[in-house]
Amino acid sequence: MVMILPGICQSLRWSALTSALTSALSSALTSALTAALTSALTSALTSAVAPSLPLNPSVLFQAMLGIFFSAKSAVLIEDVPFTEEDIRNDKNPPQNIYGLYNQVGINCFIAAGIYVAVGAVSLCQVRLNKRQEYMVT
């Protein structure tokens, strides 16, 4: 009996240590991969499209958020503005929440469009100001 107890304690400590290391490694690896992929995708898109369009990483971010909200991503539930009344008064339970997801997605697409419009206007202004006849000497 005395020999079994330390063995059980040691195996419990080993399994707790293993699960803690696994979860820490998994979350660190996931965040590192997400950051690397986001950085690579943003730099690839901005370098490929930047000469022709005023693409900004925030445009890409807003467009991606619009896509994910329209797909009703469960990760973004904290950013959906709903109250308990929306859940209680809903006759068909997920439809109110889905409507709010769609509204937030549309707002993200509108914000991306505004970013593109402001970028296009600023690009026109820069080109207009580079002309010699409009420069003040």
Side-chain angles (χ1 to χ4, degrees):
M1 182 75 167
V2 174
M3 295 296 264
I4 294 173
L5 192 57
I8 292 173
C9 290
Q10 189 170 5
S11 68
L12 287 176
R13 276 188 257 145
W14 177 253
S15 65
L17 179 65
T18 305
S19 66
L21 284 175
T22 304
S23 66
L25 187 63
S26 173
S27 65
L29 185 61
T30 302
S31 64
L33 281 175
T34 304
L37 285 175
T38 304
S39 172
L41 182 63
T42 303
S43 65
L45 284 175
T46 54
S47 66
V49 183
S52 60
L53 283 177
L55 185 65
N56 176 328
S58 55
V59 173
L60 179 66
F61 179 72
Q62 289 293 327
M64 288 175 66
L65 273 178
I67 291 168
F68 292 139
F69 272 115
S70 297
K72 296 161 189 65
S73 175
V75 176
L76 297 171
I77 189 70
E78 294 177 357
D79 297 317
V80 176
F82 67 90
T83 61
E84 288 185 25
E85 298 298 321
D86 293 329
I87 296 171
R88 286 186 191 150
N89 297 336
D90 196 7
K91 304 294 184 236
N92 193 1
Q95 296 308 316
N96 258 355
I97 304 299
Y98 287 167
L100 291 171
Y101 263 111
N102 287 333
Q103 185 60 43
V104 174
I106 290 169
N107 290 347
C108 289
F109 288 129
I110 290 171
I114 290 171
Y115 274 123
V116 169
V118 169
V121 168
S122 72
L123 183 66
C124 290
Q125 290 297 315
V126 167
R127 288 188 178 174
L128 186 65
N129 288 332
K130 283 186 178 181
R131 293 184 181 176
Q132 282 295 335
E133 65 242 18
Y134 293 109
M135 293 191 79
V136 177
T137 55

